[in-house]
Amino acid sequence: MKFHYLTIFPEMITSYTGESILKRAEEKKLVSFDVSNIRDFSTDRHNKVDDKPYGGGPGMVMSAEPILRAFSKLKFKTASVKTSAGQRKVVAPKIKVIQLSPSGKMFTNTVATKFAKQYTDIVFICGRYEGVDDRVRKILKADEYSIGEYVLTGGELPALIMTDAVARQIPGVLGSVDSLEEARIASPRVYTRPDTLIWPQSKKEKGKKYKVPEVLLNGDHKKIEEWRKNQQK
């Protein structure tokens, strides 16, 4: 899958996608990331990408034309597949355009799984200021999504959250399907060594003992799964 970002802060995107699991997934060619700086597509000598809103009101609105120009230069994934006759044909990309908005549809893990299965390319339009000229949404047939009932200063963080959630649904990104917490009984209460932790570790103050629950130490997997299930309540 290829993720595209139209933003005025490209470093916000690359600083995250260039680390950890997403970086390894890109190195394994399971995903790829393309970041476009909207300012590069402005015709204004100062690379201006916003203007005052019609009808008045506070703040500025991101202009449509620089975003549309940036979108027109995107290169989408194509794939070559073998037909039943043994010939190969090029399959057109399946593109999803997303505009981040506090009033958009709620993004969930179910949506992330659906995106991972259905699309070859996802384009994120990362708005700023008071929003984006609505003609962008209409022309690009973008769907508006929100990650929660709160307002952020821009669309970059929601785009990265959605990227992370979608990418981990792609086979091979996490290394094992068992790593998907939603595919197994996962507990928010997790422990590792030592089985008894004394804290604080100070000569001036006597430490208190914090032990791992006994059920996790006895090797009875049925009881462990029951305990984990109960911790989800």
Side-chain angles (χ1 to χ4, degrees):
M1 175 175 282
K2 189 172 185 178
F3 297 91
H4 309 259
Y5 309 85
L6 306 185
T7 174
I8 60 173
F9 294 109
E11 293 82 5
M12 289 184 67
I13 304 297
T14 56
S15 65
Y16 188 81
T17 58
E19 299 291 341
S20 190
I21 289 174
L22 293 183
K23 180 182 180 181
R24 293 197 295 272
E26 185 173 31
E27 290 171 347
K28 291 191 290 186
K29 302 187 184 305
L30 298 172
V31 299
S32 60
F33 307 104
D34 175 52
V35 185
S36 298
N37 190 336
I38 297 170
R39 293 192 187 281
D40 293 340
F41 298 89
S42 171
T43 56
D44 180 82
R45 63 193 182 103
H46 299 297
N47 300 118
K48 185 179 178 183
V49 295
D50 61 336
D51 211 335
K52 294 179 180 178
Y54 279 118
M60 305 289 276
V61 171
M62 292 188 73
S63 304
E65 289 178 303
I67 296 173
L68 294 172
R69 290 193 197 100
F71 182 88
S72 70
K73 296 298 182 181
L74 296 180
K75 295 181 180 180
F76 300 112
K77 286 179 66 67
T78 57
S80 176
V81 298
K82 184 178 289 187
T83 66
S84 57
Q87 300 175 327
R88 300 201 73 84
K89 69 174 183 178
V90 175
V91 179
K94 295 181 180 179
I95 304 164
K96 183 72 171 180
V97 182
I98 295 173
Q99 189 164 311
L100 289 313
S101 170
S103 60
K105 292 178 285 188
M106 191 64 66
F107 179 73
T108 65
N109 206 58
T110 300
V111 175
T113 303
K114 176 183 173 182
F115 284 177
K117 291 179 178 180
Q118 292 188 353
Y119 300 104
T120 61
D121 296 77
I122 296 180
V123 181
F124 294 104
I125 301 171
C126 303
R128 284 269 157 178
Y129 313 122
E130 294 300 312
V132 176
D133 187 316
D134 197 49
R135 287 169 291 190
V136 170
R137 179 185 61 83
K138 293 177 180 178
I139 292 170
L140 299 182
K141 296 180 174 59
D143 280 340
E144 292 182 306
Y145 274 91
S146 168
I147 61 165
E149 296 180 347
Y150 45 85
V151 179
L152 301 176
T153 55
E156 287 79 11
L157 285 176
L160 289 171
I161 287 172
M162 293 178 70
T163 298
D164 197 297
V166 173
R168 65 193 298 278
Q169 298 293 335
I170 298 171
V173 168
L174 294 182
S176 169
V177 70
D178 291 334
S179 295
L180 283 169
E181 288 89 344
E182 60 271 27
R184 54 185 166 83
I185 298 177
S187 167
R189 314 299 173 209
V190 292
Y191 300 86
T192 186
R193 292 178 177 82
D195 54 7
T196 300
L197 172 67
I198 299 177
W199 197 264
Q201 296 175 339
S202 170
K203 294 180 179 179
K204 297 181 179 180
E205 185 178 354
K206 185 177 180 180
K208 182 179 177 180
K209 291 183 179 180
Y210 297 87
K211 294 185 176 182
V212 173
E214 188 64 31
V215 65
L216 299 178
L217 303 175
N218 62 21
D220 189 326
H221 295 292
K222 184 177 180 180
K223 289 184 178 180
I224 290 173
E225 291 303 293
E226 290 177 355
W227 179 86
R228 286 175 174 167
K229 187 176 181 180
N230 291 332
Q231 297 304 304
Q232 294 177 321
K233 298 177 181 179

